[in-house]
Amino acid sequence: MLNRLQSLYLGYPIQYNLGSQALTNLELSGLPMIPIVLLNQQRLVREGWASFLSDQPGIAVVGNTGDPEEACGLAHLYQPRIVLASDDLVTALDFKQLAAIHDSCPTAGMILVLSHFSHGIQEHLSRLGVRACLSRHSSFADMLTAIAK
């Protein structure tokens, strides 16, 4: 089992039982953490996002998957503040999986990384919990700005 410092560094939400109270390492750290679930079909992209985000203070990547159904389960389990996804999954699934993720964790704000943006879908996306859209040409600084808002 990982010790507290290792679990904090790796961003894993490890649960500790303290008598009648169960706390995660994120709560024990005393830092305001932003839990994030990553959803992208491309493992290399997901791992790049996870590596970058895990190095940022105050951010914990609690889930990382290429499967939208698994993302629903991770969102339900961890109740992240952010679900970061790419549109390659969204367009292929006609927004049904976005709606399912939103239903799993209505308080999570979704950030989509889009290859193409149409103003016609902006209202539809906001109803599904999308709070920000980034271009695939956006920088990591843009990603951090969207997460912090």
Side-chain angles (χ1 to χ4, degrees):
M1 183 163 166
L2 299 173
N3 69 35
R4 182 171 178 238
L5 283 178
Q6 288 172 320
S7 62
L8 284 173
Y9 174 75
L10 295 172
Y12 295 132
I14 305 298
Q15 212 173 50
Y16 296 91
N17 292 316
L18 304 173
S20 63
Q21 193 176 27
L23 296 174
T24 66
N25 58 315
L26 305 179
E27 296 162 324
L28 286 172
S29 71
L31 299 172
M33 299 299 283
I34 300 172
I36 296 177
V37 169
L38 304 177
L39 173 60
N40 189 294
Q41 285 181 329
Q42 300 172 8
R43 173 177 273 182
L44 184 62
V45 172
R46 281 195 326 268
E47 289 179 2
W49 288 354
S51 177
F52 171 75
L53 292 171
S54 294
D55 287 343
Q56 305 307 308
I59 293 178
V61 176
V62 296
N64 177 343
T65 184
D67 178 18
E69 289 183 27
E70 187 178 352
C72 289
L74 291 169
H76 180 74
L77 178 65
Y78 294 117
Q79 297 294 303
R81 197 164 117 200
I82 302 290
V83 175
L84 179 62
S86 61
D87 67 344
D88 54 347
L89 294 163
V90 175
T91 53
L93 297 167
D94 198 24
F95 300 108
K96 291 177 186 169
Q97 291 296 340
L98 263 186
I101 293 168
H102 179 65
D103 291 345
S104 297
C105 184
T107 58
M110 278 190 254
I111 298 174
L112 287 182
V113 179
L114 304 171
S115 54
H116 305 288
F117 184 76
S118 163
H119 291 288
I121 64 167
Q122 187 173 7
E123 185 178 322
H124 185 65
L125 290 175
S126 66
R127 282 195 305 267
L128 295 173
V130 175
R131 67 187 236 182
C133 293
L134 299 171
S135 160
R136 289 187 185 262
H137 304 290
S138 298
S139 67
F140 278 124
D142 296 332
M143 182 184 287
L144 290 176
T145 300
I147 290 168
K149 284 185 178 181

